[in-house]
Structures are given as structure tokens and as C-alpha cells.
Amino acid sequence: MGTPYRCSMADQLTKLAYDTLQQGKALFGITHKEVSSRLMQLLAPAGSPRFEPVPDQLLAELRQAMQTLQERDWQEAEQGIYPASLLFDAPWLDWASRYPLVWLDMPAIWNRRSQRRVRDLPRDVDQRAYPDYYLQNFHHQTDGYLSDHSAALYDLQVEILFNGTADPMRRRVLAPLLRGLKAFPEHAPAQIRVLDVATGTGRTLRQLRGALPQAQLVGLDLSTAYLRQANRWLSELPGELPQLVQGNGEAMPFADASVQGITCVFLLHELPGEARQNVINECYRLLEPGGVLVLADSIQLADSPQFSTVMDNFRRGFHEPYYRDYIGDDIEARLRQAGFEAISAETHFMTRVWAARKRALAA
Ligand SMILES: C[S@@+](CC[C@H](N)C(=O)[O-])C[C@H]1O[C@@H](n2cnc3c(N)ncnc32)[C@H](O)[C@@H]1O
């Protein structure tokens, strides 16, 4: 990291385009949230969350952290960790056509929030097929994770929530993953198998495909609706189609030591502690000795105490039943408990990224 690189005119223009895109997305996210929360106060005051005011100094620190993330995102593309085209990758037309649905969905979210209905799920869902902790409206979102309607809006909602930084944060798993995969020089690129746990609509798989064009990619999620959406978007990509599997991250339907790398993005904060440990243990089982696990999730109180108000506001604004427990959890201890070693962690804006290795077999 931080290696000096030569910046051609074309690079400078690409960088300018990237910075402008990110500024545009940030402005869009901030404006959307401002207008929608005013509307909510006006039309559904009972459901309006009581946010802690964010002081100017904290806002300045947030802006700085966001800028640092963006710089890192650009530099790692420059270093060839992933193609610069990923920086601009999004289904823009698709999102534009779905944006009105985000507004149309809002009254239902406000109602659910004010009536504290957190288990308002589609009637046809077979509840026995899912763990109890999953059967909730995370973020108060309509149908929880259990409908095509929810899957159609999810990426756009996350993009707005994070002011356009969701993919830059997801991409932070790529550098540690590629470093970890160097432990397998004897594997041809097409023999490397990487699993993305809780892949949702496949945004992380898209980033993985950019960085590992030949690898075998597998995405697992509990939601068939989200996997259907992932399939739609991933099938547009050139190269081998990632394999998508419905299943629980706590007991995955794969053989021991069958993958060399695992990523898991934005799942841990939505799990109770015991399930968090089960997922980490499962990742350990699935990795070939020497393999690498990269986790990315919300920052926590221990690494980012200065942003505790932001974490608290997130919990107040969205139904996130396990978030308070998560932000105080010791993920490194959980990784050690599972057997992982060489554990490292970094913070990127609102995301903490952990990398860990499964002990290699003695030579
Ligand atoms: C916040 S979303 C993150 C999705 C994706 N990784 C991303 O970056 O957008 C959480 C995802 O975890 C999935 N999920 C929750 N609990 C799970 C479990 N026990 N096993 C597998 N997937 C799970 C949900 O269906 C949802 O797609």
C-alpha cells in the first residue's frame, strides 16, 4: 500500500470522474435522507426515530474518513488489485427505474416502525425453514429478506444509507483476500475457489469477479429471493457464472477444506452472538489449511469510539436487534476460538475488516 505510482492524463481524468461520481452519490444519499426524514416527521411523527445530534466536529471526521476510503479505493485500483471499471460499476438504469419504489415503500416502513411490528413477513413464508433470529424486518424493510420486492430495493437502500460508499467498503476485502490466496501458488487461477457467505444480491461477488476473473466463485445466502436477484445481475458478467446456493451460514452444505478463500460482508451485525461464532467456525471448517477468511462489517466501539453517536443513531433508526451486542463483541477472540491465526484488522470509514488464516499443514 502507499507505493508511489505514475499518474497519466487518462488516470487523472478517470480519478476526476470517480471523485465526481462519489460526490454525486454522497449528495444524493444525504438529500434523500434529509427529505425522507422531514416527510416522516410531518406524516408519521410517532415513527420518527429520536436521533442524537451529530456535532460539527464529528461530521468533519466522518467526511475525512469517507475521503480516505475513497482515496484507498482509487489507489488499490491503480495498483491493479481490481480493474478501475469496478469503481463505476452499478446497474444505474435499473436503480433509476426502481428509485420511485423506494419512496412508495416508505409509508409501510413508517407504519411498521411506529407500531413496532418487527415480524411482519409474507404469509407464504415457511417459517420452519429459517432460524428464528432471521424472521424479522431488519431495517424495518418490507418483507424482511424474504421477497423479490425486498431484494429489488435492497442495494439502492444500502447505497443511500452509506451515501454511495457501500461498494468502496465491500472492496476492502479484496486486497487481504488476494494476499491470503498467495498461500496457494500451486493452484492455477481457475482452481482457486472463493465463497462469499451471506452474499445477498451478489454485490461482493461482483467485486470478487473483477479481482479474480478466473476463480470459481460461490455465493451462499438464506434468502432465495436475494439469490434470484444476484443471479439476474451476475449473469450479465463475462466469464464463469458464480454458483449460488441457498443455505444457512451456520451449517453450510459444502465439504471440509473445499475452498481457499472466504469473504463475508455485513452479516455479523445481524446475528446473535452464538450464530456469529457458528458462522466463523463453519468458515474455518470449509477452508483448506492455509486458507484465508476476510470479514467486513460495521465499525465497533473498541476501534472507533469517536463514532459511537453514529453507531447509536444507526440502531435508533433501523431495526437491528443484534447491533448493540455486535458493536461490543470481540471478533478477534471469536476468530481465535475457531482456530484462526495471523489475525489482522483495519477500519475503513464505517467498516471494520478482519483477515485471518487457517493454520497450514506442517510441511
Ligand atoms: C445486510 S445483508 C448483506 C448482504 C451482502 N453481503 C451485502 O454486502 O450487501 C445480510 C444478508 O445476510 C443474509 N443472512 C442473514 N442470516 C444468514 C444466515 N444465517 N445464513 C446465510 N445468510 C444469512 C441475509 O439474507 C442478507 O442477504
Side-chain angles (χ1 to χ4, degrees):
M1 300 307 120
T3 326
Y5 54 84
R6 282 189 329 154
C7 208
S8 69
M9 176 70 97
D11 286 340
Q12 284 175 33
L13 284 177
T14 314
K15 170 89 162 68
L16 185 66
Y18 173 62
D19 287 345
T20 309
L21 173 70
Q22 286 305 121
Q23 276 162 22
K25 288 203 284 185
L27 192 65
F28 179 73
I30 292 164
T31 311
H32 174 100
K33 285 190 291 244
E34 183 64 31
V35 175
S36 59
S37 69
R38 282 186 191 196
L39 255 184
M40 182 169 33
Q41 277 157 18
L42 199 68
L43 302 175
S48 290
R50 287 196 196 89
F51 290 127
E52 288 277 319
V54 179
D56 287 348
Q57 167 66 23
L58 182 54
L59 273 178
E61 285 182 47
L62 282 168
R63 268 195 293 272
Q64 180 55 52
M66 201 163 142
Q67 183 62 34
T68 307
L69 166 73
Q70 207 169 299
E71 281 302 315
R72 179 73 168 257
D73 201 25
W74 168 256
Q75 281 171 16
E76 290 190 351
E78 277 282 301
Q79 290 160 9
I81 292 171
Y82 42 84
S85 57
L86 263 191
L87 304 177
F88 301 92
D89 174 72
W92 299 112
L93 283 178
D94 204 289
W95 283 358
S97 69
R98 290 171 197 212
Y99 182 57
L101 293 177
V102 172
W103 284 102
L104 290 174
D105 199 34
M106 256 175 225
I109 293 182
W110 297 338
N111 270 336
R112 207 170 290 120
R113 196 199 304 265
S114 55
Q115 293 166 19
R116 297 197 164 81
R117 278 188 282 121
V118 295
R119 288 184 176 256
D120 186 14
L121 299 170
R123 289 228 176 86
D124 58 354
V125 165
D126 177 2
Q127 305 221 345
R128 292 163 305 177
Y130 303 97
D132 185 63
Y133 62 76
Y134 186 73
L135 294 168
Q136 308 197 39
N137 303 87
F138 288 89
H139 324 145
H140 298 288
Q141 86 200 26
T142 300
D143 301 334
Y145 286 119
L146 292 166
S147 75
D148 292 317
H149 170 78
S150 162
L153 299 187
Y154 170 82
D155 284 323
L156 199 45
Q157 286 165 331
V158 172
E159 208 51 34
I160 291 168
L161 170 69
F162 287 129
N163 294 339
T165 62
D167 279 352
M169 290 195 285
R170 290 186 182 107
R171 277 193 286 275
R172 305 288 58 81
V173 303
L174 298 177
L177 177 73
L178 296 195
R179 273 198 299 277
L181 290 177
K182 287 193 179 137
F184 301 99
E186 73 286 3
H187 287 47
Q191 289 174 329
I192 292 285
R193 202 158 182 243
V194 176
L195 166 68
D196 184 40
V197 179
T199 199
T201 56
R203 287 303 306 169
T204 305
L205 283 174
R206 269 186 100 92
Q207 318 307 314
L208 289 171
R209 178 49 84 222
L212 294 163
Q214 297 181 61
Q216 298 170 38
L217 300 182
V218 184
L220 174 132
D221 201 279
L222 261 173
S223 167
T224 2
Y226 276 55
L227 291 174
R228 245 193 313 276
Q229 179 63 71
N231 185 50
R232 254 175 249 132
W233 278 333
L234 293 167
S235 54
E236 295 163 0
L237 290 176
E240 292 295 315
L241 201 57
Q243 187 189 356
L244 298 174
V245 178
Q246 197 272 343
N248 186 343
E250 294 183 78
M252 296 188 256
F254 306 117
D256 294 2
S258 55
V259 301
Q260 289 72 43
I262 301 182
T263 54
C264 179
V265 178
F266 303 148
L267 169 68
L268 298 183
H269 74 279
E270 295 199 339
L271 299 178
E274 191 186 343
R276 238 175 263 146
Q277 186 67 52
N278 291 342
V279 169
I280 293 173
N281 293 347
E282 264 299 84
C283 291
Y284 192 84
R285 177 182 74 79
L286 296 184
L287 281 171
E288 187 176 324
V292 58
L293 168 66
V294 189
L295 301 169
D297 214 296
S298 163
I299 50 172
Q300 297 184 302
L301 293 171
D303 61 81
S304 305
Q306 74 280 22
F307 293 148
S308 62
T309 312
V310 181
M311 290 179 237
D312 201 39
N313 280 346
F314 177 61
R315 189 182 56 75
R316 285 165 190 249
F318 295 87
H319 178 58
E320 282 289 2
Y322 307 108
Y323 189 71
R324 194 203 287 262
D325 177 69
Y326 163 80
I327 56 177
D329 196 9
D330 187 343
I331 300 297
E332 295 190 25
R334 292 195 180 282
L335 287 163
R336 279 195 300 276
Q337 188 182 325
F340 282 101
E341 57 181 31
I343 301 167
S344 61
E346 295 174 350
T347 297
H348 301 283
F349 185 41
M350 290 289 109
T351 295
R352 185 88 173 148
V353 176
W354 292 266
R357 188 178 60 206
K358 178 169 177 173
R359 185 184 295 273
L361 294 177

